[in-house]
Amino acid sequence: MTQEKVALALLVENNTGVLARVAMMFGRRGYNIDSLTVSETNDPGISRITIATHGEEKIIDQIVLQTKKLIEVRSIRVEDTSAAIQRELLLAKLRTTENQRSHIKEICEIYEAKIVDLTRDSLIVELTGKPGKIDAFLDVLSPYDIIEQCRTGMTTIGRGSAVMPYDHTENHRA
């Protein structure tokens, strides 16, 4: 059986402790969270949680069923990664010499990354893209001294005009 990497999109009531309850449900059942993002939606009473995880299809279906049982979860959907827009943000601080800056700038231009801060001995790079692009960018930068980095985690939204409903009436596979 093959492991699939999926993005789960949840609409939850915007209440204190909801994120903790969702994360604890994953932990109690031994499910791993690869990344997690939370944001407001156009409805102030609803938040969107995007969880990247992996597992066999049976495990993913079990995760969805267990997550649906949480009272404050209004809707959950496994995003179709081929039909959804996925993005992640990276900020990376590199220790640099004057000679290295031009090489790093060339790499940034190829990946469409921005240099957002520059000092005599360091620079900070910002890159937005699919998780695979972020991974490839970090791999190319690995010969340089990355002294600090942070990634937002993946966020995703389905293409087209269809929206996630605020109830469990839909099939959970997009």
Side-chain angles (χ1 to χ4, degrees), residues 2 11 16 21 30-31 35-36 40 52 60-61 63 65 79 83 89 91 98-99 104 115-116 144-145 168 172-173:
T2 62
L11 293 177
T16 304
R21 284 187 281 287
Y31 305 140
S35 75
L36 180 141
E40 295 178 337
I60 301 302
D61 289 341
I63 290 171
L65 292 172
E79 291 287 2
L89 171 69
L91 293 174
E98 207 171 311
N99 295 336
I104 293 170
I115 297 173
V116 294
Y144 300 97
D145 188 10
H168 294 300
H172 66 266
R173 295 259 176 189

Side-chain angles (χ1 to χ4, degrees), residues 7 35-38 48 50-52 79 81-90 111-112 127-135 151-159:
S35 75
L36 180 141
T37 60
V38 182
R48 183 183 181 101
T50 304
I51 300 172
E79 291 287 2
T81 55
S82 65
I85 304 299
Q86 301 172 352
R87 292 294 181 267
E88 190 171 339
L89 171 69
L90 166 74
Y111 280 88
E112 299 179 346
L127 177 63
T128 303
K130 290 184 176 184
K133 179 180 181 179
I134 304 285
D135 293 339
R151 292 173 76 159
T152 58
M154 178 178 37
T155 190
T156 181
I157 192 165
R159 297 187 70 200

